């Protein structure tokens, strides 16, 4: 979860241009972004680039400074060119004040930002408002950006989580479980998974949760149970016939009618054995990078229904009033923040040092056992 924090203003420092290709005069390079010019392995293709302070925003637009920007699995899929939504390259991040030698893509899709300046004809936002992004691939791995007012959503004071909307909507948009019902999910230790556990527990809904095995699995199980998880198993348990039979007879009994999937691949297929007839499987990710292949018999004899959910699509289909009502509802739930690690990108570091710092962390994330959500925080470049 993105924590609520206060960011103090820092005086911008004049620094020389990075290269004669960029400018022959001194420019104010106060901002920094994590970018890439071609698709590929994120731990190899990412670089950092500095750019000047933003000019005043145009009509219907806002200048924002990013407080925290998460590194999500989907962000890495985008960089690998393995995601449905594609980013648009930019030649400048400061409205023409400073052009890059070649177009770049800016990484990141989610972020918590603060409005620093509003353009003409903006009536719904003011300086100091905190916002999250509703437009796909807005490029949030940056210290500051100019955004159209339609691409952001104001959030209540105290709410800074980007992922709970996904968790909340999946529990309310398909098969709405009632008190005492059982919901099954994989990726239960993800930010979405932890939100699902908490939202379900508040409603008296039981959860059957699956995670990858790891050396500290008992610690993870205890943590998820402290959030309200009813049962926690590993994907390895699904290979043990006795364990599966025990789950069927003592936990699911008649099976579960709603399953949430962000992993896909073989573990997800194994989990479908625990579903009730006419159950709904909702997919919102594929962290295993494997396809979801299911037996035809599940559809013919068990009447399995498969659906997909994409929070960005939900934003497109709902009004600003409905979006803000959702955020208000989430704020009232006061969900506990998942464990996170803030990667502080120091302003005194060079672009290459910052890029190496980000690439190193992403390489560990790609190994699949990092254990915590990583949030980027940019210091003003010096």
């Amino acid at each position: 979860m993105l924590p609520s924090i206060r960011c103090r203003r820092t005086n911008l420092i004049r620094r020389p241009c990075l290269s004669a290709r960029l400018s022959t005069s001194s420019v104010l390079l106060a901002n920094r972004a994590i970018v890439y010019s071609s698709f590929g392995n994120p731990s190899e293709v990412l670089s950092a680039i500095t750019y000047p302070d933003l000019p005043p925003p145009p009509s219907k637009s806002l200048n924002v400074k990013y407080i925290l920007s998460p590194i999500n699995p989907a962000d890495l899929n985008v960089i690998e060119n393995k995601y449905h939504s594609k980013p648009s390259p930019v030649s400048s991040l400061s409205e023409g004040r400073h052009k890059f030698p070649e177009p770049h893509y800016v990484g990141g899709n989610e972020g918590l930002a603060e409005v620093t300046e509003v353009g003409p004809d903006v009536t719904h936002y003011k300086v100091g408002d905190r916002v999250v992004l509703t437009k796909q691939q807005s490029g949030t791995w940056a210290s500051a950006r100019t955004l159209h007012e339609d691409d952001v959503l104001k959030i209540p004071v105290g709410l800074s989580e980007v992922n709970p909307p996904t968790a909340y909507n999946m529990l309310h948009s398909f098969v709405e479980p009632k008190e005492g019902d059982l919901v099954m999910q994989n990726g239960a230790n993800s930010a979405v998974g932890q939100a699902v556990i908490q939202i379900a527990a508040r409603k008296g809904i039981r959860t059957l949760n699956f995670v990858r095995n790891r050396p500290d699995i008992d610690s993870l199980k205890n943590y998820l149970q402290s959030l309200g998880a009813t049962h926690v198993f590993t994907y390895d348990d699904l290979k043990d016939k006795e364990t599966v039979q025990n789950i069927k007879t003592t936990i699911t009994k008649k099976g579960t009618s709603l399953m949430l999937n962000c992993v896909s691949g073989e573990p997800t297929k194994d989990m479908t054995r625990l579903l009730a007839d006419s159950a709904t499987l909702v997919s919102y990710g594929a962290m295993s990078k494997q396809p979801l292949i299911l037996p035809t018999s599940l559809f013919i004899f068990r009447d399995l229904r498969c659906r997909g959910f994409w929070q960005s699509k939900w934003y497109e289909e709902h009004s600003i009033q409905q979006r803000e009502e959702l955020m208000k509802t989430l704020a009232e739930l006061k969900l506990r923040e998942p464990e996170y690690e803030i990667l502080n990108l120091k302003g005194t570091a060079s672009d290459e040092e910052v890029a190496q710092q980000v690439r190193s962390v992403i390489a560990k994330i790609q190994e699949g056992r990092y254990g915590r959500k990583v949030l980027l925080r940019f210091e003003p470049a010096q």
Side-chain angles (χ1 to χ4, degrees):
M1 175 174 287
L2 300 181
S4 297
I5 61 173
R6 291 185 178 274
C7 287
R8 60 183 182 179
R9 296 181 63 85
T10 304
N11 292 330
L12 304 181
I13 299 177
R14 213 171 266 281
R15 62 175 290 176
C17 60
L18 295 182
S19 168
R21 295 180 303 165
L22 305 184
S23 173
T24 57
S25 62
S26 181
V27 293
L28 190 64
L29 298 178
N31 294 300
R32 180 176 273 141
I34 303 300
V35 301
Y36 54 105
S37 58
S38 60
F39 296 107
N41 186 332
S43 63
E44 298 175 358
V45 302
L46 289 175
S47 61
I49 198 163
T50 46
Y51 57 100
D53 196 15
L54 303 176
S59 177
K60 298 287 186 180
S61 297
L62 318 161
N63 283 353
V64 305
K65 64 177 179 182
Y66 283 102
I67 300 171
L68 293 169
S69 302
I71 300 176
N72 290 319
D75 298 326
L76 307 186
N77 294 154
V78 170
I79 299 168
E80 295 167 330
N81 201 21
K82 296 179 180 179
Y83 196 72
H84 172 77
S85 179
K86 307 296 183 184
S88 298
V90 296
S91 58
S92 174
L93 289 173
S94 53
E95 300 300 319
R97 281 189 174 183
H98 176 275
K99 291 198 172 186
F100 302 139
E102 59 180 329
H104 286 75
Y105 304 98
V106 182
N109 183 55
E110 295 180 346
L112 171 66
E114 181 178 320
V115 176
T116 57
E117 191 172 359
V118 298
D121 305 315
V122 173
T123 59
H124 195 66
Y125 299 94
K126 66 182 185 300
V127 172
D129 283 345
R130 292 202 168 185
V131 297
V132 294
L133 280 292
T134 60
K135 180 183 177 182
Q136 275 287 303
Q137 311 313 329
S138 295
T140 58
W141 292 355
S143 53
R145 296 293 303 270
T146 299
L147 306 169
H148 194 278
E149 64 174 349
D150 291 341
D151 299 336
V152 299
L153 176 63
K154 187 189 306 184
I155 62 172
V157 175
L159 180 68
S160 53
E161 171 62 53
V162 177
N163 285 319
T166 297
Y168 185 89
N169 283 328
M170 288 193 300
L171 288 172
H172 293 81
S173 299
F174 302 98
V175 179
E176 188 163 354
K178 300 178 177 59
E179 184 175 356
D181 287 349
L182 182 68
V183 171
M184 180 166 59
Q185 67 168 340
N186 53 32
N189 58 322
S190 68
V192 173
Q194 293 184 45
V196 165
I197 290 171
Q198 294 181 76
I199 295 170
R202 303 286 175 85
K203 295 176 174 289
I205 299 166
R206 299 178 298 139
T207 54
L208 175 57
N209 304 275
F210 286 89
V211 297
R212 273 184 295 204
N213 204 355
R214 62 200 69 204
D216 60 342
I217 186 61
D218 289 337
S219 175
L220 176 59
K221 287 182 177 182
N222 290 335
Y223 172 71
L224 295 180
Q225 288 169 346
S226 74
L227 296 179
T230 316
H231 307 281
V232 183
F233 293 93
T234 70
Y235 305 128
D236 292 345
D237 292 328
L238 292 166
K239 300 298 184 183
D240 185 90
K241 292 183 178 180
E242 184 176 341
T243 300
V244 171
Q245 186 57 37
N246 180 58
I247 294 174
K248 286 182 176 180
T249 56
T250 65
I251 297 175
T252 60
K253 295 182 180 178
K254 294 182 180 181
T256 174
S257 59
L258 178 62
M259 173 178 165
L260 307 178
N261 164 47
C262 69
V263 175
S264 296
E266 192 70 19
T268 303
K269 184 182 76 171
D270 293 339
M271 290 172 64
T272 59
R273 291 179 291 168
L274 304 173
L275 290 171
D277 290 347
S278 301
T280 297
L281 190 165
V282 180
S283 293
Y284 66 101
M287 293 175 64
S288 68
K289 298 183 181 179
Q290 298 297 317
L292 177 55
I293 301 175
L294 300 175
T296 306
S297 59
L298 282 175
F299 300 95
I300 297 176
F301 306 114
R302 304 281 304 281
D303 188 28
L304 176 66
R305 296 98 186 266
C306 292
R307 303 289 301 275
F309 182 80
W310 192 22
Q311 184 61 39
S312 295
K313 187 68 173 177
W314 188 93
Y315 283 137
E316 290 177 5
E317 296 174 344
H318 291 76
S319 67
I320 185 67
Q321 291 79 16
Q322 290 171 313
R323 298 176 189 179
E324 291 186 347
E325 185 61 32
L326 171 62
M327 292 298 171
K328 180 181 177 182
T329 298
L330 292 172
E332 292 171 349
L333 288 174
K334 299 185 184 302
L335 301 180
R336 180 175 164 185
E337 299 177 351
E339 293 184 356
Y340 60 85
E341 176 179 310
I342 294 178
L343 185 62
N344 198 40
L345 305 178
K346 294 186 176 297
T348 53
S350 69
D351 283 347
E352 178 52 34
E353 288 172 333
V354 168
Q356 181 56 44
Q357 189 180 5
V358 174
R359 290 195 299 261
S360 177
V361 168
I362 286 179
K364 294 178 182 178
I365 293 174
Q366 289 176 309
E367 295 173 0
R369 299 179 186 274
Y370 200 78
R372 297 178 300 279
K373 178 182 279 292
V374 177
L375 311 173
L376 300 180
R377 179 164 61 193
F378 292 82
E379 289 184 359
Q382 297 180 16

